[in-house]
Amino acid sequence: MQPVQTISFSADCDNSAPRGSWQSQLSGAIRDPEALLAAAGLDKRWLSGAEGGHQAFEVRVPQAYLSRIKKGDPNDPLLRQVLPLEHETHAVAGYVTDPLEEADHTPAAGLIHKYAARVLMITSGACAINCRYCFRRHFPYEDHAASRAQWGRTLDYLREDDSLIEAILSGGDPLVSSDARLAWLVGELDAIPHLKRLRLHTRLPVVIPDRVDDAMLEWLSNTRLQKVMVLHINHANEIDDSVMKACERLRGVGVTLLNQSVLLRDVNDDVEVLRALSERLFEAGILPYYLHVLDPVAGAAHFDVPDSEAGALHDRLREQLPGFLLPRLVREVPGERAKTPIQA
Ligand code: SF4
């Protein structure tokens, strides 16, 4: 299996978009630490630490997500996911810029083909939110911008490999791309007979729920492909009524909703917090799928929960939840053909 092509749309930030639209919310996201601290009701004592992390991986937080953060609480579990801390500037042995060695699977950039029967397409280099623990925080997205000809060759690669069953749109976040572009791409995928499934990995319906609008539901409705959306939610507080509504609309057009979380120190490293997350996910019609341990990416070591502790937490969670609400505790190991389960 060899990846061959670049396939990346840039973010479709649109400063002329109607006020309140998802595009204007995307353009209007907070992009500097000082503004984030002010919006979170925190004083400037946090600023010097935040500036260093921001230089390495810029702050980005949309208003809809910000509105769920408790003001004046530096320990708020949603704030901790987006506020750079001084720890990010510390070099820690074993924490690297490409923890999953994806560069080895993307010699021509943009298309990652390391698992059987499915390929991952880097559909956008941008996100609506920048999560401090992101394993792609150092990914060279600028090397992955695609020309129209490259898009054509990428799709040829998918057409020519009839072992492929599933196309995965990832990023960045694929849903920062415009509906016109996504409708075109999904139409091209739809026409490849051996493809059965379309999977999207996205955080946008969570961080800007208005992204799930009529235009998006239209291209999702028009494809013959089975649709799976893997959301990324780490704490029950991320699911407010607007997220519930967005999930309901997605399910209404036949999208199967799954969730993957990352186990994060001081965010969700607690049995009761994880139990509440699974319960809340199910209320929103989302099945808990994976609970990942942290990928060792440079700048995120302060979020780490050791495997032994993660396994013990997961065992206690198993005692509290029915099996269908228990996410699989896994690690992604470079070179492995599937995720690796973690035992206590
Ligand atoms: S790829 Fe996902 S985890 Fe990483 S910054 Fe974007 S939304 Fe956050």
Side-chain angles (χ1 to χ4, degrees):
M1 287 183 283
Q2 283 298 312
V4 292
Q5 286 305 324
T6 299
I7 189 160
S8 174
F9 293 138
S10 58
D12 283 312
C13 289
D14 180 357
N15 293 321
S16 64
R19 208 184 151 106
S21 65
W22 71 265
Q23 293 94 335
S24 74
Q25 293 180 54
L26 191 60
S27 314
I30 282 183
R31 304 278 286 270
D32 75 81
E34 195 165 357
L36 176 58
L37 289 174
L42 295 182
D43 61 49
K44 290 197 175 174
R45 137 173 82 101
W46 298 88
L47 191 57
S48 61
E51 287 287 2
H54 174 65
Q55 295 306 322
F57 184 46
E58 79 161 7
V59 162
R60 185 176 301 203
V61 191
Q63 188 59 45
Y65 185 86
L66 199 56
S67 67
R68 298 169 222 156
I69 289 173
K70 187 174 164 209
K71 301 283 180 289
D73 181 2
N75 297 316
D76 180 90
L78 276 59
L79 180 66
R80 290 193 70 84
Q81 296 181 51
V82 294
L83 177 66
L85 298 178
E86 204 238 329
H87 306 289
E88 291 189 22
T89 58
H90 300 170
V92 177
Y95 286 75
V96 297
T97 55
D98 181 14
L100 303 188
E101 299 174 11
E102 291 186 319
D104 295 347
H105 297 273
T106 56
L111 186 72
I112 299 173
H113 191 180
K114 59 180 178 179
Y115 297 137
R118 54 207 190 272
V119 286
L120 187 147
M121 302 155 83
I122 301 290
T123 316
S124 165
C127 293
I129 190 166
N130 281 349
C131 312
R132 307 316 302 174
Y133 49 83
C134 180
F135 73 92
R136 291 205 180 115
R137 55 181 285 163
H138 306 282
F139 192 82
Y141 288 112
E142 61 281 8
D143 298 342
H144 291 244
S147 67
R148 184 163 283 277
Q150 286 168 323
W151 273 99
R153 289 197 294 274
T154 297
L155 288 164
D156 281 345
Y157 178 79
L158 271 75
R159 288 183 193 106
E160 285 161 13
D161 186 346
D162 63 10
S163 72
L164 295 175
I165 290 173
E166 181 171 328
I168 304 170
L169 307 188
S170 184
D173 196 312
L175 291 181
V176 300
S177 300
S178 71
D179 290 302
R181 291 179 177 194
L182 289 164
W184 170 79
L185 176 59
V186 172
E188 295 291 316
L189 297 171
D190 197 275
I192 299 174
H194 47 266
L195 289 181
K196 292 183 179 171
R197 283 191 301 277
L198 171 70
R199 189 191 330 171
L200 293 105
H201 280 223
T202 177
R203 196 145 156 71
L204 248 158
V206 182
V207 303
I208 304 180
D210 288 339
R211 177 64 185 91
V212 183
D213 61 5
D214 292 347
M216 177 178 162
L217 295 174
E218 187 176 341
W219 57 261
L220 279 171
S221 301
N222 287 342
T223 179
R224 70 168 175 88
L225 299 167
Q226 290 184 297
K227 300 169 287 279
V228 179
M229 189 172 282
V230 182
L231 299 167
H232 176 177
I233 303 170
N234 298 315
H235 194 282
N237 292 2
E238 293 179 53
I239 306 175
D240 68 1
D241 288 348
S242 63
V243 176
M244 297 285 266
K245 182 73 185 162
C247 291
E248 188 182 331
R249 298 193 81 193
L250 289 166
R251 286 185 284 115
V253 296
V255 179
T256 298
L257 296 175
L258 305 175
N259 184 61
Q260 56 182 356
S261 308
V262 183
L263 185 60
L264 299 166
R265 177 68 78 205
D266 296 332
V267 172
N268 59 10
D269 57 331
D270 177 272
V271 172
E272 178 51 30
V273 168
L274 291 171
R275 189 199 63 75
L277 171 60
S278 279
E279 293 286 355
R280 186 68 174 152
L281 287 168
F282 195 62
E283 283 170 27
I286 310 165
L287 279 174
Y289 177 34
Y290 281 129
L291 176 61
H292 286 261
V293 293
L294 185 77
D295 296 312
V297 64
H302 55 293
F303 285 114
D304 187 51
V305 178
D307 282 8
S308 57
E309 189 178 334
L313 267 173
H314 194 252
D315 278 353
R316 289 173 57 206
L317 194 60
R318 188 193 315 275
E319 292 165 6
Q320 303 214 12
L321 288 169
F324 63 92
L325 290 187
L326 185 71
R328 283 168 254 180
L329 179 66
V330 294
R331 172 188 297 291
E332 195 149 349
V333 178
E336 293 292 324
R337 301 293 298 275
K339 313 236 185 209
T340 303
I342 291 177
Q343 313 292 342

